[in-house]
Amino acid sequence: MGVVKSILATLALACSCSVAIADEWIAERLRGDVLQYERGNWVTLERGDVVPDGGKVRTTGTGRVDLVRGQESIALGPNTQIAVRDAAGQKMTSVIQSSGIVTVTAEKRNVQHFSVQTPILAAIVKGTQFTVTYSNGLAGVDVMSGIVQVQDSIHDVVVDVTRGQSAAASQSRPLKVEGPGADKAVFLIGGVAVPAAAREAFVSGVGVETAAAATSGIQVTAGAGNTGVTAGVGATAGTGATATAGAGASAGTGVTATAGASAGGGNLNVTAGAGVGGTGVTAGAAAGTGGTSAGASVGNGGAGGTAVNVDLGPAEVSVGVGGGGLGAKLGL
């Protein structure tokens, strides 16, 4: 009976040791010079060494190493430094990346349980394979499989990056996504959902009111004499819409129209023509992905009124000023 108890105790001890070892990160496939921080010094990391919770690992220009734990791995490229932290209570593993290239293979779970954090952005996953690079204030994420939630902590921007896509951000440049389907990405900017087509306008502060709700927005301001009217309209991507806004304006001898597109492309053309006894002015300006404004002024308009047309590719804005009122109309 004593022999049986001894065997059972030995098996139990072996199982407990296996569990403990499975929870540790083990250095494998080590090449070149790899160092681990121990007791205030950087010492050589050998194949099979354990990297404890909170442990720091650094590679030189010739070094590479894979840290493996069960089915998960953290691969360090040359000139890379990380610290690994496991929050047991939250079941979250965090890789704090100071520099270099880190490729993570995380097992699939139903909750986010793995993150890589740089001074610019963080990549958080439920299970996927992705690479994070960080150097000289520029951070990037490339996704090989699955979905990675990327958070730009500098500019308060969050977006999901999918297989084949990449995302990048820096101190001066907010998070941006490139690759297949990037035009369909939806960014969370300051807590507001913004489609990819309106991202540039939103982060630059142009057309914020309309960019948050539409892939394109237009703002028209018109003044007749000393009285001005402002109308802002936007249209959801993939749909056609017509919006009309009008307000009364006192008659005057001059009309000024300014049109700005929060997101768009092609050419922005503004045409202003006076009614009876007036003159006509045409102005054009190139419109990029950000906001662009163009203006045209007409003086000495006659009783017939003044019309201003703005051509934004698929969108057209018309502003009319008569003797007793002003109207703005948008067609998409």
Side-chain angles (χ1 to χ4, degrees):
M1 191 68 179
V3 175
V4 174
K5 287 183 178 181
S6 178
I7 294 174
L8 291 176
T10 302
L11 291 173
L13 179 60
C15 291
S16 64
C17 290
S18 298
V19 172
I21 292 174
D23 290 338
E24 302 285 359
W25 291 98
I26 308 297
E28 294 186 4
R29 292 184 286 277
L30 189 151
R31 298 180 297 280
D33 295 327
V34 182
L35 306 174
Q36 180 174 210
Y37 194 72
E38 290 183 355
R39 300 181 181 89
N41 296 303
W42 288 99
V43 300
T44 300
L45 181 70
E46 303 288 352
R47 183 177 287 106
D49 283 353
V50 173
V51 177
D53 183 26
K56 296 180 181 179
V57 177
R58 184 178 75 186
T59 62
T60 66
T62 62
R64 296 174 181 271
V65 65
D66 290 359
L67 304 181
V68 178
R69 183 182 64 184
Q71 300 300 313
E72 298 185 317
S73 66
I74 306 169
L76 280 64
N79 296 317
T80 299
Q81 180 173 324
I82 67 167
V84 184
R85 298 175 183 172
D86 287 309
Q90 301 175 1
K91 297 182 179 179
M92 171 67 77
T93 297
S94 298
V95 177
I96 314 303
Q97 181 178 354
S98 302
S99 61
I101 304 172
V102 174
T103 298
V104 169
T105 301
E107 64 180 359
K108 294 183 179 180
R109 298 182 188 174
N110 294 326
V111 295
Q112 292 178 334
H113 68 99
F114 212 114
S115 71
V116 177
Q117 302 173 23
T118 74
I120 302 295
L121 57 76
I124 306 174
V125 299
K126 295 180 179 179
T128 181
Q129 186 179 39
F130 63 99
T131 296
V132 179
T133 58
Y134 178 70
S135 178
N136 298 322
L138 176 63
V141 178
D142 294 280
V143 179
M144 282 76 86
S145 66
I147 300 175
V148 177
Q149 183 187 90
V150 181
Q151 302 175 356
D152 177 350
S153 57
I154 302 297
H155 305 93
D156 194 13
V157 180
V158 180
V159 68
D160 285 343
V161 184
T162 60
R163 178 181 179 182
Q165 294 180 345
S166 62
S170 67
Q171 287 282 352
S172 60
R173 188 179 66 182
L175 187 65
K176 185 176 182 178
V177 178
E178 295 181 344
D183 58 329
K184 297 179 177 61
V186 177
F187 294 81
L188 194 65
I189 306 178
V192 179
V194 180
R199 172 194 165 279
E200 292 287 347
F202 198 101
V203 298
S204 64
V206 179
V208 172
E209 297 86 351
T210 55
T215 58
S216 62
I218 299 172
Q219 187 174 32
V220 179
T221 303
N226 294 322
T227 303
V229 178
T230 300
V233 290
T236 302
T239 62
T242 301
T244 303
S250 61
T253 59
V255 177
T256 300
T258 301
S262 63
N267 291 320
L268 173 71
N269 297 311
V270 180
T271 303
V276 178
T279 59
V281 179
T282 300
T289 57
T292 303
S293 62
S297 300
V298 180
N300 301 320
T306 303
V308 180
N309 298 313
V310 182
D311 183 5
L312 295 174
E316 182 177 344
V317 178
S318 178
V319 179
V321 180
L326 178 147
K329 182 176 182 181
L330 167 68
L332 295 176

